[in-house]
Amino acid sequence: MMDEGRPLFVQIAEMIENSIIDGSLVEEGQVPSTNELAAFHRINPATAGKGLAKLAADGILYKKRGIGMFVTAGARDALRFRRRDEFARQYIAPLVAEADKLGMSVDELKSMLDEWEETP
């Protein structure tokens, strides 16, 4: 499940983000502790803590002293917005650029996407 080519703390942060986006972790709900994450993924607790700290620095999680980390209100929408923006930069921009090289209009590209969607 872990990707050897990327830092583990980044992967931990992304797993938690995915759980927030899919609703497994709810806003204002508690997230697994550093020790729980470390035991489950068989990683160093400091690595798990670094992933949680990254999300806290990004405003996705907040800490209740002595209790644990919780999902910030509005985190799901913020993550979805950020991921959509990343998706557009990573996939849509190159797609439109390639279509332009091929002399395709945006309407032709939309039509192609509609056909793709209808294909089982």
Side-chain angles (χ1 to χ4, degrees):
M1 185 149 170
M2 293 293 195
D3 177 3
E4 295 290 328
R6 296 175 340 146
L8 290 174
F9 80 94
V10 171
Q11 294 178 60
I12 292 295
E14 287 175 354
M15 285 180 209
I16 292 170
E17 286 179 354
N18 289 339
S19 293
I20 294 168
I21 290 170
D22 73 18
S24 302
L25 289 174
V26 297
E27 294 178 359
E28 299 299 334
Q30 190 169 9
V31 299
S33 71
T34 298
N35 289 333
E36 289 170 331
L37 289 168
F40 182 79
H41 295 289
R42 295 183 179 173
I43 60 173
N44 187 310
T47 302
K50 193 172 177 182
L52 293 175
K54 178 186 181 320
L55 293 173
D58 292 345
I60 302 302
L61 301 180
Y62 67 95
K63 185 176 188 172
K64 286 186 181 179
R65 191 177 186 109
I67 299 174
M69 300 288 272
F70 292 78
V71 179
T72 303
R76 185 173 189 223
D77 287 340
L79 287 169
R80 292 176 76 196
F81 180 80
R82 189 186 81 208
R83 293 254 183 116
R84 285 179 179 165
D85 189 49
E86 290 171 4
F87 178 82
R89 278 196 313 270
Q90 187 174 356
Y91 298 104
I92 304 298
L95 177 68
V96 171
E98 184 65 20
D100 188 52
K101 287 179 195 174
L102 297 173
M104 294 173 63
S105 70
V106 172
D107 287 335
E108 287 175 298
L109 185 55
K110 287 177 184 177
S111 176
M112 187 180 267
L113 287 170
D114 288 339
E115 289 173 20
W116 184 266
E117 183 179 55
E118 292 170 7
T119 305

